[in-house]
Amino acid sequence: MRADYNRAVRVLGIETSCDETGAAVYDIGAGLLAHALHSQVALHRPYGGVVPELASRDHVRQLVPLIEKVLAESGTALADLDGIAYTEGPGLAGALLVGASVAAALAYALGRPSIGVHHLEGHLLSPLLSDPRPEFPFVALLVSGGHSQLFEVTGVGRYRLLGDTLDDAAGEAFDKTATLLGLPYPGGPALARLAETGRPGAVSLPRPMLDSGDLDMSFSGLKTAALTLVRGAERRGELGSQAKADVAREFEAAVVDVLVGKSLAALAGTGHTRLVVAGGVGANRTLRERLAAAIGPRGARAYFPDLAFCTDNGAMIALAGAMRLHDAKAGARTFGVRPRWALTELGEPATL
Ligand code: KG4
Ligand code: ZN
């Protein structure tokens, strides 16, 4: 195994935690060289959500061709790779095992390290794929299907949890409210599209915990309030397409108000001037516009990943793996999956 990790490090990244198969090649010196993604949205749509066994089988079909594609596009031979990073968790156990197995097999065959990456660390670091790159330290708002969290990030592996959701995650609330409005899976983007035709202020929903004095969040009450609105309109025979769009608009506005309020409070509380937004809900345009507008006048700056790197992708795993391998004293071969894994349990790269 190679001992010199202080030079440019080139890593293949593999993401298979849920319903996207992702592969990418990231080089510490040259940046992102290639990435490819296969989405399983069409496969799961008839079931209204992700079917874990179908997800695993599709990862088996898609992963190796995707890896061959990114290696060819980046002009990388297998022997040029310094390591293979894969999503170790959290996620669906069977789906994770596909990526972990391929990474371990390649690592053994090539005599290189395999690096198990925390999926949320991938999301947290994904704004580093964009130009301009945020410098450490920063506050990160992580809003995905399973998480709504604020972190203080002072380096790779140095994450202090500032606030968390007490119940549903923001993306989960988007998805459930979308289902309530009869929108197809995946609900978040569909609800955001419907909200564009809603009338601002036509209906009213609460902004849960906006003034709670801490950085925690809660979205399940908001979802229930939306349910009450929808059922009431239904009973009165008034649930037409405009009424649905009005609920979508107010729901999105309520979530965005809470996320903006908590993010500003986190910046004020830590004294940091950089806010990084990551995770699938970070693709929401209203959230992006409102955050950028609210933060600018305070002398702070918001950083968003490119849309392609907001939702699950291989580039963020390759990036996190390359940064860990670059900073680590040595590289080992790891194999395993952790379907449940808190980001705060993660150590710094020296412990790789
Ligand atoms: O990060 P991600 O791709 O997967 C997880 O790790 O969870 O996030 C997926 C979540 C879903 O809940 C999806 O509905 C939501 O992100 N999402 C959005 C938008 N695009 C994706 N929510 C609101 N607006 C969007 N434009
Ligand atoms: Zn994700």
Side-chain angles (χ1 to χ4, degrees), residues 9-20:
V9 164
R10 185 171 292 200
V11 166
L12 170 69
I14 295 172
E15 156 64 34
T16 63
S17 68
C18 190
D19 58 349
E20 325 267 1

Side-chain angles (χ1 to χ4, degrees), residues 137-182:
F138 52 75
V139 168
L141 172 67
L142 185 62
V143 271
S144 68
H147 295 82
S148 304
Q149 295 176 319
L150 278 156
F151 285 96
E152 179 182 45
V153 178
T154 48
V156 176
R158 301 181 61 179
Y159 312 125
R160 185 164 73 89
L161 184 65
L162 302 171
D164 203 347
T165 177
L166 304 181
D167 40 56
D168 290 358
E172 191 180 353
F174 261 98
D175 293 339
K176 288 178 177 169
T177 306
T179 304
L180 173 72
L181 292 171

Side-chain angles (χ1 to χ4, degrees), residues 297-320:
R298 289 161 201 252
R301 177 160 186 182
Y303 294 81
F304 303 99
D306 294 342
L307 285 180
F309 304 133
C310 266
T311 44
D312 293 346
N313 65 85
M316 67 184 192
I317 303 304
L319 167 82

Side-chain angles (χ1 to χ4, degrees), residues 302-342:
Y303 294 81
F304 303 99
D306 294 342
L307 285 180
F309 304 133
C310 266
T311 44
D312 293 346
N313 65 85
M316 67 184 192
I317 303 304
L319 167 82
M323 291 183 82
R324 285 195 162 260
L325 191 56
H326 184 260
D327 291 357
K329 303 273 180 293
R333 267 195 294 271
T334 70
F335 174 75
V337 297
R338 297 199 220 185
R340 295 175 68 86
W341 187 11

Side-chain angles (χ1 to χ4, degrees), residues 81-100:
L81 290 172
D82 297 294
I84 296 99
Y86 64 96
T87 305
E88 185 177 343
L92 302 170
L96 290 166
L97 274 167
V98 178

